[in-house]
Amino acid sequence: MNLLFFGFLCFMLACSPHDSNQETRTMSTISLPRPNLSGDISIEETLERRRSVRTFSATPLSLEEIGQLAWAAQGITDAARGFRTAPSAGATFPMETYFLLTEGEDVAGGVYRYLPHDHALELVTEGDQRRDLRSVALQQESITDAPAVLVITGILSRIEPRYRERAMRFMHMEAGHVAQNIYLQGVSLGVGTVVIGAFEDDGVRSVLGLGDGEYPLYIMPLGKLP
Ligand SMILES: Cc1cc2nc3c(=O)[nH]c(=O)nc-3n(C[C@H](O)[C@H](O)[C@H](O)COP(=O)(O)O)c2cc1C
C-alpha cells in the first residue's frame, strides 16, 4: 500500500507543471553588482521630477545601472520571506522582468531575464531584438532609441489559483507598482524611461520567446538623458 502511494506521489510530481518561480543558474548568467541603498535625492524631489522620456543618449547603461534598475523593479528586500521592492498580491510574485540590452562594456547584446533571488541576469536570446520589439509596438521609436529596454510580464498561473477572476486585475496592478519603481529609480540615476502599453501581446511573446500563459504588461525603454 505504502509503495503504491509512493508511486502515485512520484507520478504527480513528474506531472506537475514547471514551476516558473524557480530560478536556475546557467553558464549564461551574469551576476549584478550589489544595489546602492542610499541616494543623493529625496523621495519628494524624485516624485516632482518624474517625467516620461522618449529620447535617450546612445551610451549603453553600465552593469551597475542595470542592476540598480532590476533591483528597483523586483529586488529581494526580505530574504527570509522572498519579499521584494514592489508589493505582490498574497506574495504570489507573478511578475517577471526582461532586459533587452545592446552591446556594452560589461555585457553582450541580447534578451536577459532578471533572477531576483540571485540578483543576476540570465541570457534568454542573443542579439539585439529592439527593432523586432518596436515593430510589434506601433513602431514607437523610443524603443530603438534607448540602449536598454525593460519588459514587465506576468505569469497568470502563479496568482490565479488564489485570486481566480481577480487575478488578471491584480497582475496589472502589480505591473504599475514595478513600473513606478523604475521611473523613480531612473530619476535618481539620471536614466529616463516611459511606460509603453500600446503593443501586440503575441508579437511581444514571440520576440521574447514567452509562453501563452505569460502576459506582456509594459515595455519601458531605458537610457541616460540626451
Ligand atoms: C497605461 C499607460 C499606457 C501608456 N502607453 C504609452 C505608449 O504606448 N507610448 C508612450 O509613448 N507613452 C505611453 N504612456 C505614457 C503617457 O503618455 C504619459 O504618462 C503621459 O503623457 C503623462 O506624461 P508623464 O508620464 O511625463 O507625466 C502610457 C501611460 C500609461 C499609464
Side-chain angles (χ1 to χ4, degrees):
M1 192 63 177
N2 277 347
L3 202 64
L4 252 179
F5 177 71
F6 179 68
F8 176 70
L9 197 67
C10 290
F11 173 74
M12 290 304 285
L13 283 173
C15 290
S16 67
H18 169 69
D19 178 4
S20 33
N21 256 320
Q22 215 173 5
E23 289 170 4
T24 44
R25 290 182 70 103
T26 65
M27 291 298 283
S28 326
T29 303
I30 302 169
S31 289
L32 293 166
R34 286 168 75 87
N36 191 356
L37 298 183
S38 59
D40 301 331
I41 175 171
S42 72
I43 184 67
E44 292 80 7
E45 199 179 340
T46 309
L47 286 164
E48 208 268 335
R49 281 175 42 189
R50 186 213 61 81
R51 198 84 289 142
S52 291
V53 175
R54 296 177 181 83
T55 51
F56 310 94
S57 149
T59 313
L61 297 183
S62 67
L63 212 52
E64 280 78 15
E65 289 164 334
I66 293 161
Q68 192 72 36
L69 289 159
W71 176 82
Q74 281 291 279
I76 302 289
T77 47
D78 178 337
R81 295 184 294 172
F83 286 10
R84 305 182 182 189
T85 47
S88 174
T92 50
F93 304 117
M95 296 292 103
E96 288 286 338
T97 43
Y98 295 84
F99 285 87
L100 282 74
L101 300 178
T102 46
E103 194 78 29
E105 270 177 37
D106 317 318
V107 65
V111 179
Y112 295 84
R113 185 169 75 102
Y114 178 55
L115 307 178
H117 291 281
D118 292 334
H119 190 53
L121 293 178
E122 174 194 52
L123 181 66
V124 176
T125 318
E126 285 177 13
D128 186 352
Q129 311 290 330
R130 289 172 306 156
R131 195 165 285 279
D132 289 346
L133 190 64
R134 187 180 83 175
S135 72
V136 295
L138 274 57
Q139 294 294 357
Q140 296 191 57
E141 285 177 11
S142 55
I143 293 172
T144 39
D145 200 55
V149 183
L150 174 73
V151 181
I152 302 171
T153 71
I155 298 181
L156 193 60
S157 60
R158 291 184 190 161
I159 186 170
E160 202 171 32
R162 189 187 287 223
Y163 293 109
R164 304 283 168 191
E165 68 278 357
R166 296 182 80 80
M168 185 60 88
R169 183 193 303 196
F170 284 0
M171 231 167 56
H172 285 98
M173 290 171 174
E174 288 200 26
H177 296 301
V178 174
Q180 184 74 357
N181 282 5
I182 293 289
Y183 263 114
L184 298 180
Q185 181 68 76
V187 173
S188 164
L189 293 174
V191 170
T193 191
V194 57
V195 283
I196 291 182
F199 52 77
E200 300 159 29
D201 289 3
D202 283 341
V204 177
R205 281 196 185 98
S206 155
V207 174
L208 265 61
L210 311 177
D212 287 347
E214 187 161 1
Y215 290 78
L217 301 172
Y218 262 147
I219 295 173
M220 298 184 75
L222 296 163
K224 296 297 245 183
L225 304 181

